[in-house]
Amino acid sequence: MTRTTPERPVDVERLFPELARYRRTATRLHPRPGAPGARDSSVGGPMLWPSDEPWPVCTHPHKRSSGERLEDVRLRRRIEAEEWRRASEAGVRPAWTEAEWEVLASLKRGRHAPWLANTDPIPLLAVAQLYRQDVPDLFGGPADCDVLQVFWCPFDAHGTGHQLALHLRWRRSADVREVLADQPEPVVVGAPGYVPDPCVLHPEQVVEYQYVDLLPDRLRRRMERWEGPEEERDEEAVGYRSDLSIAPGWKVGGFASWHVTDPRPMDCECGQPMEPLLTIATYECDSSTSSWIPVEDRETLEGAIGATSVLVSRDGNLYVFVCPRDPGHPHRLSLQ
Ligand SMILES: [Zn+2]
Ligand SMILES: [Zn+2]
């Protein structure tokens, strides 16, 4: 099934023609639970990974013996999903059976991989695989590569602070003859939010406009006058930030939102301003961005809220910025 973003409630470029200079397309990915294959674009699906190539690993020094078992994370989600299904069929609130309760209570964090020293290589988790043919806004990467593979380490313990480590890999799909059948996974994860549920994608190209605080002052002030004072606006009122500027959810290309930190320059080490390549989102919409819910999901909302189960920041997005000049330059991350 395709996914269709409803037409924006107003034609903002007709109201503010100078916004045309701050327009850009983005491809919303609309991940939904499914069973993708290695030749599909996906979140949390199998990678088109050659059987004779080593799987990417994390060797950065940090603790990797303690956390939750990956299989426990999945078991808990299966039990929860089953309970939601039962409850919604019966029209009641979800409640665990005694047996489920016992299982859930037994799934605990702990030192589940005591054999792992702090620099032992652990397999990275497959996060997303994006084929150029499916995702019109996928940019960067070597010209002859047609698929981008995204991995991360399931611990936030890299660098100073609690940074996550993300790994991007471009490849030529035609080069892959035999796909690695048994794709490695870490035994223990630092946080369950790093574990994506397998999702198929329904890419859809939309138009976005620059984040409000990065527009020229005069334009921004005119827009604020048009929106009216914040305290006088009701919840249904159309807003630039919520309805017209930046699409919520997983996407490729488009603009980044800076609602947590305020805008900061994302420059590559070569001096080139970097561009947001991929947005990894906790939710596809919230109460302020409900106008972006696809037509096909409006009735049930099923799968439209947090289909991937990925949670990288409490309620926000992880932006992966890349250098448009050279795909070999290191990417940078922004959590918003
Ligand atoms: Zn790591
Ligand atoms: Zn660069």
Side-chain angles (χ1 to χ4, degrees), residues 78-260:
R78 277 201 303 277
I79 292 174
E80 286 172 355
E82 173 61 19
E83 178 46 38
W84 274 102
R85 192 192 57 74
R86 274 201 317 254
S88 68
E89 272 175 20
V92 297
R93 290 165 69 91
W96 318 122
T97 65
E98 205 164 307
E100 286 170 341
W101 191 250
E102 248 171 59
V103 175
L104 289 169
S106 74
L107 310 179
K108 290 204 170 75
R109 295 182 69 84
R111 198 156 174 264
H112 294 301
W115 60 88
L116 284 176
N118 285 357
T119 51
D120 281 351
I122 49 168
L124 298 184
L125 268 175
V127 178
Q129 174 166 270
L130 304 168
Y131 285 83
R132 282 198 210 270
Q133 65 187 37
D134 297 333
V135 184
D137 288 292
L138 194 61
F139 68 93
D144 61 343
C145 289
D146 63 336
V147 54
L148 172 66
Q149 298 173 322
V150 184
F151 300 83
W152 59 30
C153 172
F155 292 88
D156 36 17
H158 308 84
T160 51
H162 298 284
Q163 290 169 27
L164 67 91
L166 186 116
H167 177 73
L168 300 178
R169 176 63 206 260
W170 284 95
R171 71 167 68 248
R172 263 161 50 113
S173 60
D175 290 347
V176 183
R177 299 263 149 68
E178 198 184 324
V179 177
L180 180 64
D182 245 336
Q183 308 206 339
E185 288 188 318
V187 178
V188 172
V189 300
Y194 281 120
V195 183
D197 287 333
C199 284
V200 293
L201 304 184
H202 305 278
E204 177 204 19
Q205 199 170 39
V206 297
V207 169
E208 290 192 339
Y209 296 95
Q210 179 61 284
Y211 183 65
V212 64
D213 290 349
L214 291 170
L215 294 173
D217 285 348
R218 278 181 55 190
L219 174 56
R220 198 181 66 238
R221 281 199 296 272
R222 279 178 58 214
M223 216 173 263
E224 282 165 1
R225 276 200 298 280
W226 167 74
E227 286 181 325
E230 203 160 325
E231 57 279 9
E232 286 173 23
R233 276 156 51 197
D234 66 64
E235 251 179 46
E236 304 290 294
V238 174
Y240 178 74
R241 200 185 286 247
S242 52
D243 304 300
L244 307 171
S245 163
I246 294 175
W250 288 65
K251 69 174 185 189
V252 166
F255 291 102
S257 171
W258 295 94
H259 55 280
V260 175

Side-chain angles (χ1 to χ4, degrees), residues 4-69:
T4 318
T5 299
E7 200 176 328
R8 296 300 76 210
V10 297
D11 181 350
V12 70
E13 251 184 82
R14 243 188 57 197
L15 294 170
F16 306 99
E18 58 270 55
L19 259 184
R21 292 177 49 204
Y22 304 94
R23 182 208 308 128
R24 195 181 269 180
T25 56
T27 304
R28 301 185 75 189
L29 297 178
H30 300 305
R32 298 292 182 270
R39 304 247 167 216
D40 298 323
S41 291
S42 67
V43 167
M47 292 291 193
L48 186 78
W49 196 266
S51 56
D52 56 356
E53 194 176 308
W55 189 261
V57 294
C58 180
T59 53
H60 188 93
H62 62 72
K63 230 175 160 177
R64 61 252 279 135
S65 56
S66 298
E68 286 194 54
R69 279 193 203 95

